[in-house]
Amino acid sequence: MTAPAPAPLAPTAPPPGSPYSAYVYAYPHKTAYRPLPERPALRDLWHGERKDALSLYLHIPFCEVRCGFCNLFTRIGAPDGLTGRYLDALERQATAVRDALGDEGPVSFANAAFGGGTPTFLTALELERLCDIAERRMGADLRAVPLSVETSPATATADRLAVLAERGATRVSIGVQSFLAEEARAAVRPQRRADVEAALGRIRDARVPVLNIDLIYGIDGQTPATWRTSLDAALAWRPEELYLYPLYVRPLTGLARRTALTDRAWDEQRLSLYRQGRDHLLAHGYEQVSMRMFRLAGTAPQGPDDHACQTDGMIGLGCGARSYTSALHYSFDYAVDMGEIRGIIDDYTATGDFTRAVHGRPTNGDEARRRHLLQSMLQAQGMPVADYRERFGADPHEHFPAELAAFAARGWLDEDGTGPLLRLSPEGLAHSDALGPELFSPAVRAAMAAYETK
């Protein structure tokens, strides 16, 4: 693939007032995590926690290529034997975690997901083993709960998809980003449309109930006409779900060294394309679930929606996965640089003792309130004020008067935020990536600012 010509270095932060401050996919973000000096035992962390409706996430940190916009915890390729060693470590971790959950009360799972990276980077036999780890080590009945799996055009092969369908996958999500070759090149994502269409055909042939297609807007050179081309190409498959992501340029990614999109004109371009995409999907029978997520009317949800997955009771397995108890969020070290990621993966595969949390952040009462407000408000359906009051003993306007007043003044809240349902207006949904970061606590902001990118 011919790479785009070099361009000026992109900024590491958006300009003040940008509608694209940060994509809040977890709170607190991993850049606010730190090594835990006390290294608490998992058995102590999970003692007393509710464990009858847990979420299970298995992380596979491998991809065949790394897209120019990607800052996920993943590496390109795997030397001989590395995926096997990684699954060995994943099995050791699963055994330790299931033991830590104990048997003093019921332990069961309400949903499961395989993410990455690209889980289907694994071979069909390795995917069988991954499912076995979830079922035999953790006790998750994958055929009885929603199971979501991420894939890519190059790895969505018939044999892999057959394994996933047989083992209970109810949702397959494929990152397409753009159906146009020139836009894929601009995003530093090598793919051909013919290969994308063939992969979509194989997913449909596998008869997994829900197909999700990811698209990106704001790519250098993208126009309303080309964006419409990608939207219509995706709609031709009538996917049950569609995610529309704004392009972000992050430090240490391929685009950070190549994109020229550095000013407010880009913000306006992305907002315009977002509104075009939203209106186009709504006109074609889709319902808006969040700023990013759209679901075909009549489609049943297959697992937690978008931000709603950030709830207590999450078990994350793998070196890039997070786990959540009511008092602590924990994981392993985080990096974006390829060399750093390889080192963390190597350390993970060499680990024998997974009985303690090593890297994370405590979540006190204030952080729990902020997280609940974030994960609820960023959903199109909004948050019943009575539910918040019942959980936290006060009205959200008492805990966050300045923030909610500012949102109302900008027109971001439905009914100015005074009704029984605290819900974003259409303009508020459009500015979700500006609204979310304003709810971060000062302590989390300081920790994120102090984080040294690696």
Side-chain angles (χ1 to χ4, degrees):
M1 183 189 75
T2 302
L9 184 70
T12 58
S18 170
Y20 299 102
S21 298
Y23 169 24
V24 186
Y25 60 89
Y27 180 77
H29 189 268
K30 255 189 165 182
T31 54
Y33 290 17
R34 294 295 184 269
L36 300 169
E38 69 279 16
R39 295 173 61 90
L42 299 188
R43 182 174 288 276
D44 294 336
L45 288 177
W46 286 98
H47 180 72
E49 295 283 320
R50 182 174 175 177
K51 291 168 278 194
D52 60 343
L54 297 169
S55 298
L56 180 63
Y57 178 79
L58 278 69
H59 177 249
I60 303 300
F62 306 106
C63 289
E64 72 276 10
V65 296
R66 189 171 198 183
C67 304
F69 51 82
C70 178
N71 74 336
L72 297 179
F73 188 93
T74 187
R75 62 164 291 165
I76 301 170
D80 288 346
L82 180 57
T83 54
R85 294 194 300 275
Y86 185 84
L87 290 173
D88 290 343
L90 198 70
E91 188 160 7
R92 293 195 299 273
Q93 185 187 8
T95 301
V97 170
R98 181 58 188 87
D99 181 66
L101 293 177
D103 295 308
E104 67 271 14
V107 176
S108 60
F109 293 88
N111 54 78
F114 301 160
T118 307
T120 49
F121 179 90
L122 300 178
T123 66
L125 285 176
E126 289 172 329
L127 285 171
E128 289 275 16
R129 187 180 177 194
L130 185 68
C131 293
D132 286 344
I133 290 171
E135 292 190 335
R136 298 176 184 175
R137 297 302 180 190
M138 291 304 302
D141 186 351
L142 298 181
R143 294 180 179 85
V145 301
L147 170 61
S148 178
V149 184
E150 296 172 13
T151 191
S152 68
T155 62
T157 59
D159 58 339
R160 292 173 169 104
L161 292 167
V163 168
L164 296 175
E166 195 279 327
R167 297 301 293 261
T170 56
R171 178 180 183 271
V172 169
S173 177
I174 183 168
V176 173
Q177 319 316 351
S178 175
F179 282 84
L180 302 180
E182 58 271 25
E183 290 182 2
R185 286 195 297 271
V188 194
R189 180 182 176 85
Q191 66 182 24
R192 299 187 309 154
R193 179 167 178 174
D195 295 333
V196 171
E197 300 279 1
L200 289 166
R202 291 191 294 270
I203 294 171
R204 281 307 196 198
D205 289 344
R207 300 188 180 278
V208 175
V210 171
L211 163 64
N212 174 71
I213 297 176
D214 290 344
L215 297 176
I216 285 181
Y217 55 91
I219 299 171
D220 195 11
Q222 193 174 48
T223 68
T226 63
W227 179 225
R228 171 71 178 264
T229 296
S230 280
L231 289 167
D232 286 341
L235 286 172
W237 291 97
R238 206 62 175 163
E240 286 73 23
E241 293 177 2
L242 272 159
Y243 271 72
L244 308 184
Y245 287 96
L247 179 66
Y248 273 89
V249 175
R250 300 175 174 97
L252 303 183
T253 62
L255 282 184
R257 294 180 292 275
R258 298 185 181 277
T259 187
L261 297 172
T262 61
D263 55 24
R264 291 187 183 277
W266 189 28
D267 284 346
E268 292 304 318
Q269 179 208 27
R270 286 182 287 180
L271 272 176
S272 177
L273 294 175
Y274 158 77
R275 291 175 175 129
Q276 176 191 350
R278 174 198 63 193
D279 294 347
H280 197 58
L281 295 188
L282 293 178
H284 282 77
Y286 287 78
E287 300 170 339
Q288 186 165 17
V289 179
S290 70
M291 172 189 170
R292 290 166 171 75
M293 184 179 182
F294 296 81
R295 178 178 290 134
L296 187 62
T299 301
Q302 296 295 329
D305 288 339
D306 207 6
H307 297 272
C309 67
Q310 308 302 330
T311 54
D312 297 339
M314 168 74 76
I315 299 287
L317 301 178
C319 60
R322 301 168 175 84
S323 295
Y324 306 127
T325 71
S326 59
L328 182 73
H329 291 191
Y330 64 92
S331 183
F332 297 92
D333 200 3
Y334 171 73
V336 177
D337 176 76
M338 281 285 101
E340 295 283 351
I341 289 174
R342 286 193 292 268
I344 294 171
I345 293 173
D346 289 343
D347 289 344
Y348 175 82
T349 60
T351 298
D353 182 2
F354 286 103
T355 61
R356 295 181 176 274
V358 297
H359 204 83
R361 186 172 187 87
T363 53
N364 58 26
D366 177 63
E367 299 294 13
R369 290 191 292 269
R370 290 177 184 276
R371 189 161 62 96
H372 182 88
L373 190 63
L374 274 167
Q375 69 186 26
S376 301
M377 283 190 65
L378 294 178
Q379 299 291 302
Q381 66 184 10
M383 179 189 74
V385 173
D387 289 355
Y388 182 96
R389 189 183 300 115
E390 180 179 357
R391 179 171 181 179
F392 297 110
D395 191 284
H397 291 84
E398 296 178 52
H399 288 151
F400 305 101
E403 293 92 337
L404 293 177
F407 299 158
R410 296 169 195 161
W412 291 356
L413 299 183
D414 187 41
E415 298 182 354
D416 289 331
T418 59
L421 192 64
L422 191 57
R423 181 170 59 189
L424 297 182
S425 66
E427 193 65 10
L429 278 173
H431 286 79
S432 292
D433 284 5
L435 181 151
E438 291 194 26
L439 291 172
F440 291 4
S441 71
V444 165
R445 288 175 184 271
M448 293 175 67
Y451 174 77
E452 295 184 7
T453 303
K454 59 182 180 180

